Amino acid sequence: MSADDLIRQVDNLGRVFAAEIEPLAGEQEIRNAQARYLGKKGTVSQLMKQMRHVPAAQRKRVGSVFNRVKSSIADAVAAKLRQLEEVDKASDLARTIDVTLPGRQGAIGRLHLVTQVWNEVVEIFSEIGFEVAEGPQIDTDFHCFEALAMPKGHPARDMQDTFYITDDVVLRPHTSPVQIRTMTSQTPPVKIIAPGVVYRRDDDPTHSPMFTQLEGLLVDEVVGLSDLKGVFLHLIRRFYGKSLEVRFRPSYFPFVEPGVEVDMQCAFCMSGNPACRVCKGTGWIEISGAGMVDPDVFAHVDYDAEKFTGFAWGMGLERIAMLRHNVNDIKHLYEGDVRFLRQF
Ligand code: DAH
């Protein structure tokens, strides 16, 4: 074989190789192709064997063409592999960072319905001059019962199923002890509300062992139940957004005389529709206990019952929230299901 023939053939191999790896897309395939040409038994190596037929004077020229073709093959392989790597990297990036996706939203928390209602009623009562008073959730028998005219053995103590810690210390079963704490630390006039958590051994669709009450107390020189009615009319108009009727029904609580149950006109049927499930056809919904502070209570806190009168009330915040939002089971409020709680 002449030197020129050999040069033509080896040059040709270089071109064929370039065309061959052009469509390849896998590293292994590319390396196999490389081995087919440059490997020991590869086509280029085979062709090299023909060198011995080339006259000595021409070998240098032919040899340099072999070298050029070999390094062009090696360069083509390297370029192809680099290109492959770029493609991989780009598709990795495209997979992990899609800049067109909307950002991931962190969950936005919000206030629990009962907390919202708590804040709201504090605001509503502050509009008519009530200030917030506080007391401990673990309180004494004296504040929770004794000073509220319920001495030990008084049957009315059973009205609250109390959690006792010791004989004299309890989880407060109502917010009424805050009345006592306020009056023992303050002289009249007194005008407070006391929202707070209370505990009872009670557990059914309308009762939870932990719930929230709002106590109110107003003591001054000339105070009557008609003033209390005005307070409730204001609360209802602001809280339910409607002017609804209020009525008092005689009732009994040891620390008030007279004691009443406060009813508001049914906000759902307005009129006592026999089919109304909220008021059960009566047209009224009970929302609070209340009454005129019993002189016995005044005696415990050294208030002059001849000079001062006062009214007090206690209501459940869950109850007024459930009525406004049509929630029929108090458990919904305390199971922590955000799908439910998110709605408010
Ligand atoms: N403390 C009572 C209870 O939890 C509610 C109550 C009734 C509070 C009449 C009052 C009141 O202040 O005057 O059942």
Side-chain angles (χ1 to χ4, degrees):
M1 189 184 309
S2 78
D4 286 334
D5 273 351
L6 200 48
I7 286 172
R8 240 191 326 276
Q9 282 196 31
V10 75
D11 257 339
N12 193 45
L13 273 183
R15 274 193 298 279
V16 173
F17 179 80
E20 198 174 314
I21 67 161
E22 169 60 28
L24 301 185
E27 183 182 344
Q28 195 53 51
E29 288 176 286
I30 293 166
R31 297 222 180 271
N32 290 345
Q34 181 182 22
R36 273 202 306 281
Y37 283 76
L38 300 186
K40 264 203 190 102
K41 290 186 180 145
T43 40
V44 177
S45 312
Q46 294 299 325
L47 209 53
M48 284 265 263
K49 288 182 184 154
Q50 304 296 323
M51 277 286 257
R52 65 193 137 100
H53 305 299
V54 175
Q58 315 245 355
R59 283 198 193 143
K60 198 172 172 204
R61 184 164 66 92
V62 179
S64 78
V65 173
F66 266 101
N67 284 343
R68 176 168 52 71
V69 169
K70 276 189 197 164
S71 62
S72 85
I73 287 175
D75 286 352
V77 166
K80 189 73 192 174
L81 288 177
R82 230 178 298 121
Q83 181 194 341
L84 215 67
E85 207 174 297
E86 292 298 316
V87 170
D88 273 1
K89 212 186 287 171
S91 76
D92 267 0
L93 282 179
R95 223 183 354 262
T96 52
I97 306 173
D98 178 350
V99 293
T100 65
L101 278 178
R104 240 174 251 156
Q105 275 271 340
I108 296 175
R110 65 191 71 194
L111 296 179
H112 190 279
L113 174 60
V114 173
T115 310
Q116 291 179 35
V117 166
W118 177 315
N119 293 342
E120 212 178 311
V121 293
V122 164
E123 167 69 27
I124 290 171
F125 284 113
S126 79
E127 291 165 357
I128 49 173
F130 285 87
E131 281 175 17
V132 173
E134 283 177 86
Q137 292 181 26
I138 298 174
D139 211 340
T140 63
D141 184 89
F142 172 79
H143 292 94
C144 293
F145 296 116
E146 200 79 33
L148 289 165
M150 284 182 274
K152 283 213 160 77
H154 193 289
R157 286 191 175 214
D158 298 342
M159 286 165 73
Q160 291 97 8
D161 279 309
T162 306
F163 288 108
Y164 278 83
I165 294 175
T166 69
D167 273 357
D168 278 315
V169 180
V170 301
L171 292 184
R172 67 177 178 197
H174 52 182
T175 42
S176 302
V178 186
Q179 290 186 34
I180 304 303
R181 290 184 171 277
T182 304
M183 289 190 283
T184 49
S185 64
Q186 219 172 298
T187 53
V190 166
K191 195 173 181 185
I192 56 109
I193 51 167
V197 173
V198 300
Y199 302 87
R200 286 187 197 181
R201 296 170 49 198
D202 229 351
D203 204 0
D204 65 47
T206 51
H207 297 93
S208 145
M210 186 210 82
F211 61 105
T212 317
Q213 283 192 332
L214 181 127
E215 194 80 11
L217 174 70
L218 191 153
V219 181
D220 208 338
E221 286 187 20
V222 194
V223 173
L225 278 183
S226 54
D227 302 307
L228 177 60
K229 187 165 178 178
V231 167
F232 273 101
L233 288 172
H234 173 73
L235 168 69
I236 290 164
R237 185 164 39 77
R238 290 280 284 102
F239 187 74
Y240 293 100
K242 295 184 207 170
S243 292
L244 299 169
E245 293 286 329
V246 168
R247 76 172 184 189
F248 292 156
R249 255 180 313 113
S251 185
Y252 172 74
F253 301 97
F255 37 91
V256 282
E257 182 56 40
V260 299
E261 215 88 68
V262 182
D263 290 346
M264 75 171 190
Q265 186 185 355
C266 179
F268 294 91
C269 69
M270 303 295 285
S271 60
N273 182 331
C276 179
R277 281 197 288 167
V278 179
C279 69
K280 309 213 170 54
T282 63
W284 296 96
I285 303 168
E286 183 191 315
I287 54 167
S288 184
M292 297 303 295
V293 179
D294 194 295
D296 225 32
V297 174
F298 281 156
H300 272 102
V301 297
D302 279 334
Y303 274 18
D304 181 354
E306 297 296 321
K307 191 168 171 203
F308 297 109
T309 52
F311 60 74
W313 77 91
M315 60 202 285
L317 290 186
E318 286 83 357
R319 180 161 170 77
I320 63 169
M322 287 165 72
L323 283 170
R324 187 170 71 178
H325 297 283
N326 227 332
V327 177
N328 59 11
D329 189 334
I330 195 170
K331 296 285 144 31
H332 291 318
L333 296 174
Y334 291 117
E335 278 167 349
D337 185 338
V338 291
R339 291 169 306 174
F340 172 81
L341 295 172
R342 246 204 302 262
Q343 301 176 86
F344 308 104

